[in-house]
Amino acid sequence: MTATHDRNDMKGPTPQRHGRVAAICGLLVLSMGGLSFAAVPLYRLYCQVTGYQGTTQRAEKGSDVVLDRVVKVHFDANVAAELPWKFEPVQPSLDVKIGENTLAFYRATNISDKPTTGTAIFNVTPDAVGTHFQKVQCFCFTEQRLEPGQSMEMAVSFFVDPALATDEETKQLSELTLSYSFYPVRTPTKVGGQAAVSNAEGKGG
């Protein structure tokens, strides 16, 4: 009886076992791929809901209260290595009054020879400002498609909530930075994005 068991052990994995292992590995690869495609929108949704790491807020309308206090807003732009775009702020910074409805612009250029679509995640630093930075309209709300060599300016309409001036964490701040990072969209959901905000009021650079 012992000799029989020893001979069976020496045979190694059966073809059926190899098949099960291959199937499990395949499912893991597919799962990881799905998670990577979903990572950007899921991260953005989580941050928008929680204000995590300086994620800005979305306002239904512009501000109707303007304080006689100015803060400097710097603009930052980043692009994932997989997306062949040049992306930059049109203006490096703006001096805005707290509560003032403001327009700022970014420029994106597709430097590849094929159409590409991107989506942006965003945050503001210092992190504590995130709950007081309100966007009314933004190119980051939709996917953006660029044809080969195409360049377009994209607008963000925003205001700094007057609550910033009374919040213990932010009332001493005089500068902040709005940052965007564009990532590729593997399966675009629409033909093209909104290149600019045409009906928003405010000032631009």
Side-chain angles (χ1 to χ4, degrees):
M1 181 69 67
T2 301
T4 301
H5 282 299
D6 290 343
R7 285 194 298 272
N8 289 336
D9 292 341
M10 293 175 63
K11 291 180 180 179
T14 65
Q16 291 82 359
R17 185 178 302 174
H18 281 303
R20 286 196 298 270
V21 172
I24 292 171
C25 290
L27 288 173
L28 286 174
V29 169
L30 289 174
S31 298
M32 292 302 292
L35 287 173
S36 66
F37 290 141
V40 171
L42 287 176
Y43 174 83
R44 179 165 54 191
L45 176 61
Y46 171 75
C47 291
Q48 286 176 325
V49 171
T50 63
Y52 179 66
Q53 290 189 343
T55 301
T56 61
Q57 306 302 301
R58 184 169 182 174
E60 295 298 323
K61 61 179 182 178
S63 172
D64 54 7
V65 176
V66 180
L67 305 183
D68 190 23
R69 174 182 163 189
V70 173
V71 293
K72 182 179 286 292
V73 181
H74 300 274
F75 301 95
D76 178 57
N78 306 277
V79 184
E82 304 83 23
L83 184 64
W85 286 13
K86 180 181 180 182
F87 177 53
E88 59 192 350
V90 173
Q91 64 293 295
S93 64
L94 287 174
D95 291 328
V96 303
K97 289 185 176 181
I98 294 177
E100 181 180 13
N101 298 305
T102 305
L103 273 179
F105 292 86
Y106 281 76
R107 182 182 298 110
T109 303
N110 180 1
I111 58 177
S112 75
D113 59 356
K114 64 179 67 175
T116 52
T117 302
T119 186
I121 62 173
F122 46 85
N123 74 316
V124 62
T125 54
D127 291 353
V129 182
T131 56
H132 303 309
F133 196 97
Q134 303 282 344
K135 292 181 180 177
V136 182
Q137 293 285 347
C138 182
F139 61 88
C140 55
F141 295 161
T142 58
E143 296 172 359
Q144 302 295 330
R145 174 188 169 94
L146 292 177
E147 298 298 324
Q150 181 185 0
S151 180
M152 69 177 178
E153 289 191 358
M154 302 175 292
V156 51
S157 171
F158 70 90
F159 63 91
V160 179
D161 196 306
L164 176 139
T166 57
D167 188 325
E168 289 296 325
E169 291 189 82
T170 60
K171 65 182 183 180
Q172 301 299 326
L173 293 175
S174 60
E175 298 187 34
L176 58 96
T177 299
L178 176 64
S179 180
Y180 288 94
S181 295
F182 257 105
Y183 290 85
V185 176
R186 309 297 184 186
T187 53
T189 57
K190 60 187 301 182
V191 174
Q194 179 181 358
V197 179
S198 59
N199 59 352
E201 296 180 356
K203 69 178 184 179

